Amino acid sequence: SLVLAYQTSKHITPEKFYVEACDDGADDVLAIDRVSTEVTLTVKKDVPPSAVTRPIYGILGTIRLVAGTYLIVITKKKKVGEIFSHAIWKATDFDILSYKKTMLHLTDIQLQDNKVFLSMLNHVLSVDGFYFSTTYDLTHTLQRLANTSPEFQEMSLLERADPRFVWNGHLLREFAAQPEIHRFATPVMHGFITMHSCSINGKCFDWLLVSRRSCFRAGVRYYVRGIDSEGHAANFVETEQIVHYKGSKASFVQTRGSIPFFWSQRPNLKYKPKPQISKSVNHMDGFQRHFDSQIISYGKQMIVNLVNQKGSEKPLEQTFAKMVNSMANGMVRYIAFDFHKECSRMRWDRLQILMDQLAEQQDEFSYFLVDSDGKIVTQQEGIFRSNCMDCLDRTNVIQSLLARRSLQAQLQVNISFLFNKLEEAFSWADNANACAKQYAGTGALKTDYTRTGKRTQWGLIMDGWNSLIRYYKNNFSDGFRQDAIDLFLGNYSVDEVEPASPLHVKKDWKFLALPIIMVVAFSMCIICLLMAGDTWTETLAYVLFWGSASFGTFAIILYNGKDFVDAPKLVQKEKMD
């Protein structure tokens, strides 16, 4: 038996896992039957003395793979800090434990498939940014928590958590069905949390930043765009800036999310694939659903659309503006700002044009404020919903400027110097990097500006480097990353008796042949240049022949680009478009 000592101990026997909470004085022990998979409560004296004991810090949940059920536990954690005396932890290491004691019942192909699924889970768990607390609800903003009922306060963290931000919701589905074992389940959010104690002009305050990534329509950059039929937007992140000063608490919330209608931008080896707006669906249904849910959650909406107003991004901006007009909802307003055009040639001071346009709206929306007696002074009446194409780099810049302005209002002092110091230390640039790594696979671009308030030549060089890495990952490894997320979140469930695994997709002959032909032809072209023939005309003829062969093959590969990228295998059409 495994006694998973929960802060917890975990005790392991061949028949059962036992999970025992070591720090609350309770006698209850969670018993998980490794054969029937049944989860029950028992007491400490039922744990066999022969059981192997290991410390763990939380149960992430269970998942079924080819070899049977697995238990995922948190084995290492790092303290981020405290929110109002509640400890906040980052989960830094995990263990995936098989219920089965042997794999002899599997064929070689099943063993291989199981290995791939395990590597997918390990990949998701290796991405930085899983946070939890055993005493505080990280999934809700201060304003949502302040406007709850006494019944809500009595609920377990698992019951009351916002399902949008519980990344192990699928893994905990069996625990959710049994209220008596809820306290053994740890709701985990994915995103970014930082906190810092600051002082300016003798005023000491705590500054916190919390970004919550939605697990609905989650995925990687080019494979998940737009919205789904429920109105969930890709790369949706809720970011809350909290200031704790002399017992009073202020909160300013913003959101980001993909342009909320049906469009796609599948990778095809080109540096920037052309976005495609779906022609076969009714966009308004999903669009309306999206904003209905946003208004319920946050109130008035101020859309800040930062995409280019020319080239391939132009139709997205035009469609977005047209749909907001067609919806004719007084709670939703729209502003478009061509970020790249306005800030071209390093004219980043022109961002003030947008900030001036948003200032009145931001003052109207205000921020949430509760005084030291617990009395609500102001509520945030609306929200800025920012987007660019990825909702990463341009979006991060604008969100940091809006947050800076809100912080200045909350402290009622000029904090420009302070905010720059905050930026240099950690903060919005780190938040930007975390969100970018989770969606695009690399750190964010333009972080020199969000970190220092200035655009630099070195920043441009680093942006170029990150863009190259993004290109490689988006074309040659994002299919696996997307599959890993879909498996983890339950968008794909492993069927043990499935005759043909979706992992085994036969590649077309050209997938192997064309790259080999191109490399051989290019190599021959270089050899002919280095080892000149008897006459320059003979050398030129060889170089032209092999050069044409390599260029022609490259053109064919580029034309059939979608066949050469690493595409997802587990969830097909619905997720793609």
Side-chain angles (χ1 to χ4, degrees):
S1 289
L2 177 58
V3 185
L4 297 163
Y6 181 37
Q7 167 97 357
T8 308
S9 280
K10 177 173 73 172
H11 309 283
I12 306 176
T13 69
E15 295 78 34
K16 289 185 178 179
F17 296 130
Y18 294 97
V19 180
E20 169 197 335
C22 299
D23 54 1
D24 65 358
D27 193 43
D28 287 346
V29 171
L30 190 73
I32 303 170
D33 194 298
R34 296 176 69 173
V35 180
S36 69
T37 73
E38 189 184 6
V39 183
T40 53
L41 277 181
T42 183
V43 289
K44 286 180 185 175
K45 64 179 174 58
D46 290 342
V47 179
S50 60
V52 180
T53 303
R54 284 174 50 188
I56 62 166
Y57 299 105
I59 295 176
L60 214 62
T62 61
I63 191 166
R64 197 169 188 81
L65 301 182
V66 182
T69 307
Y70 285 79
L71 177 70
I72 308 177
V73 294
I74 301 167
T75 54
K76 285 184 188 167
K77 65 177 181 178
K78 178 183 170 189
K79 190 170 183 181
V80 180
E82 292 188 358
I83 296 182
F84 319 129
S85 304
H86 296 278
I88 309 302
W89 305 92
K90 180 194 272 192
T92 55
D93 206 3
F94 305 85
D95 209 351
I96 305 172
L97 305 157
S98 176
Y99 282 34
K100 293 277 200 300
K101 295 168 281 296
T102 173
M103 299 285 172
L104 294 174
H105 60 294
L106 300 179
T107 65
D108 286 347
I109 291 173
Q110 285 176 319
L111 273 171
Q112 188 58 38
D113 286 353
N114 201 65
K115 198 173 168 185
V116 172
F117 287 131
L118 281 171
S119 69
M120 286 179 182
L121 292 178
N122 280 311
H123 172 77
V124 174
L125 296 170
S126 71
V127 177
D128 198 33
F130 288 102
Y131 298 89
F132 69 97
S133 173
T134 54
T135 56
Y136 186 78
D137 188 346
L138 283 174
T139 66
H140 288 290
T141 62
L142 291 192
Q143 184 160 317
R144 285 201 294 269
L145 288 173
N147 291 304
T148 54
S149 64
E151 293 77 33
F152 179 88
Q153 303 289 345
E154 294 300 312
M155 290 180 183
S156 67
L157 287 177
L158 182 59
E159 277 178 294
R160 60 188 261 181
D162 188 328
R164 294 178 299 167
F165 306 124
V166 181
W167 266 63
N168 56 335
H170 168 70
L171 303 177
L172 289 174
R173 66 203 179 284
E174 288 180 21
F175 286 75
Q178 295 176 253
E180 70 277 8
I181 62 171
H182 279 186
R183 67 190 187 85
F184 287 94
T186 310
V188 172
M189 63 155 266
H190 196 218
F192 179 75
I193 299 178
T194 191
M195 42 193 81
H196 205 66
S197 293
C198 312
S199 176
I200 179 167
N201 299 340
K203 293 185 177 185
C204 297
F205 61 95
D206 292 325
W207 183 89
L208 297 86
L209 195 62
V210 182
S211 277
R212 307 171 177 98
R213 262 176 91 69
S214 174
C215 59
F216 298 138
R217 197 156 177 77
V220 298
R221 187 184 181 205
Y222 281 142
Y223 283 114
V224 182
R225 295 295 211 194
I227 53 170
D228 61 19
S229 56
E230 300 296 310
H232 300 303
N235 197 23
F236 182 86
V237 182
E238 172 190 276
T239 300
E240 180 177 23
Q241 176 177 273
I242 300 170
V243 175
H244 188 205
Y245 174 61
K246 285 189 176 174
S248 64
K249 294 171 257 190
S251 152
F252 178 64
V253 179
Q254 305 179 68
T255 61
R256 69 178 77 187
S258 193
I259 296 173
F261 46 81
F262 299 96
W263 63 284
S264 59
Q265 195 179 12
R266 301 288 300 280
N268 57 6
L269 296 182
K270 290 178 181 162
Y271 179 71
K272 194 174 177 184
K274 189 177 177 184
Q276 305 286 335
I277 299 172
S278 176
K279 294 181 172 66
S280 59
V281 292
N282 180 346
H283 292 282
M284 190 50 84
D285 282 353
F287 190 81
Q288 187 87 48
R289 277 201 181 100
H290 176 74
F291 281 106
D292 285 349
S293 69
Q294 295 302 293
I295 289 165
I296 289 166
S297 296
Y298 305 107
K300 292 174 186 167
Q301 300 283 303
M302 182 72 207
I303 299 162
V304 184
N305 188 358
L306 304 167
V307 301
N308 299 344
Q309 290 171 30
K310 63 177 186 180
S312 64
E313 295 180 15
K314 182 181 177 180
L316 293 171
E317 193 281 316
Q318 289 176 324
T319 306
F320 201 172
K322 188 174 154 194
M323 291 187 72
V324 172
N325 285 333
S326 301
M327 188 169 64
N329 185 330
M331 297 284 280
V332 181
R333 296 181 206 170
Y334 177 90
I335 188 166
F337 180 81
D338 190 331
F339 189 106
H340 286 150
K341 180 188 167 192
E342 295 293 344
C343 300
S344 62
R345 299 194 293 279
M346 307 285 274
R347 295 176 304 169
W348 285 60
D349 55 297
R350 293 177 64 80
L351 288 171
Q352 194 57 45
I353 296 169
L354 176 62
M355 295 311 294
D356 290 343
Q357 288 176 304
L358 298 177
E360 188 182 337
Q361 189 73 72
Q362 188 169 8
D363 294 340
E364 182 194 318
F365 285 170
S366 188
Y367 50 86
F368 175 72
L369 178 63
V370 58
D371 66 19
S372 51
D373 297 324
K375 183 179 164 226
I376 295 173
V377 180
T378 59
Q379 301 254 21
Q380 186 173 337
E381 304 290 342
I383 206 159
F384 289 97
R385 184 205 188 276
S386 307
N387 74 270
C388 43
M389 290 295 283
D390 300 324
C391 306
L392 293 176
D393 312 314
R394 290 171 274 188
T395 298
N396 288 323
V397 172
I398 298 308
Q399 285 199 338
S400 72
L401 292 175
L402 288 166
R404 175 188 298 211
R405 193 172 180 278
S406 178
L407 186 59
Q408 190 158 322
Q410 287 160 16
L411 293 173
Q412 296 177 328
V413 290
N414 186 338
I415 49 77
S416 298
F417 169 75
L418 165 76
F419 207 89
N420 285 338
K421 287 295 172 195
L422 284 174
E423 293 299 1
E424 286 167 26
F426 49 89
S427 74
W428 276 91
D430 293 336
N431 176 62
N433 281 331
C435 291
K437 280 174 187 166
Q438 290 157 12
Y439 186 55
T442 73
L445 313 185
K446 305 176 177 65
T447 50
D448 53 337
Y449 185 84
T450 45
R451 204 176 283 283
T452 66
K454 295 190 188 91
R455 198 71 168 110
T456 62
Q457 294 294 336
W458 177 247
L460 287 172
I461 292 166
M462 289 309 297
D463 284 0
W465 175 247
N466 273 330
S467 296
L468 274 176
I469 297 171
R470 275 188 194 180
Y471 173 80
Y472 175 81
K473 286 193 171 185
N474 296 162
N475 283 283
F476 304 114
S477 68
D478 269 4
F480 178 84
R481 286 177 63 218
Q482 184 63 53
D483 283 340
I485 292 167
D486 283 328
L487 177 68
F488 188 86
L489 294 177
N491 299 329
Y492 174 83
S493 296
V494 175
D495 187 347
E496 289 178 76
V497 293
E498 198 168 21
S501 165
L503 294 174
H504 304 289
V505 178
K506 280 201 170 178
K507 288 284 185 185
D508 193 70
W509 65 271
K510 63 176 177 261
F511 181 78
L512 284 173
L514 289 176
I516 292 170
I517 293 168
M518 186 182 77
V519 170
V520 168
F522 184 72
S523 303
M524 290 301 294
C525 183
I526 300 298
I527 290 166
C528 291
L529 276 172
L530 296 175
M531 301 172 67
D534 295 337
T535 64
W536 70 269
T537 49
E538 183 186 350
T539 303
L540 183 63
Y542 279 127
V543 168
L544 284 174
F545 173 77
W546 289 114
S548 301
S550 60
F551 181 79
T553 317
F554 176 70
I556 294 168
I557 289 172
L558 209 56
Y559 180 76
N560 295 283
K562 284 187 179 178
D563 296 332
F564 290 87
V565 297
D566 177 40
K569 299 183 178 82
L570 301 185
V571 178
Q572 293 305 324
K573 190 68 181 167
E574 193 277 329
K575 194 60 171 240
M576 302 303 123
D577 304 319

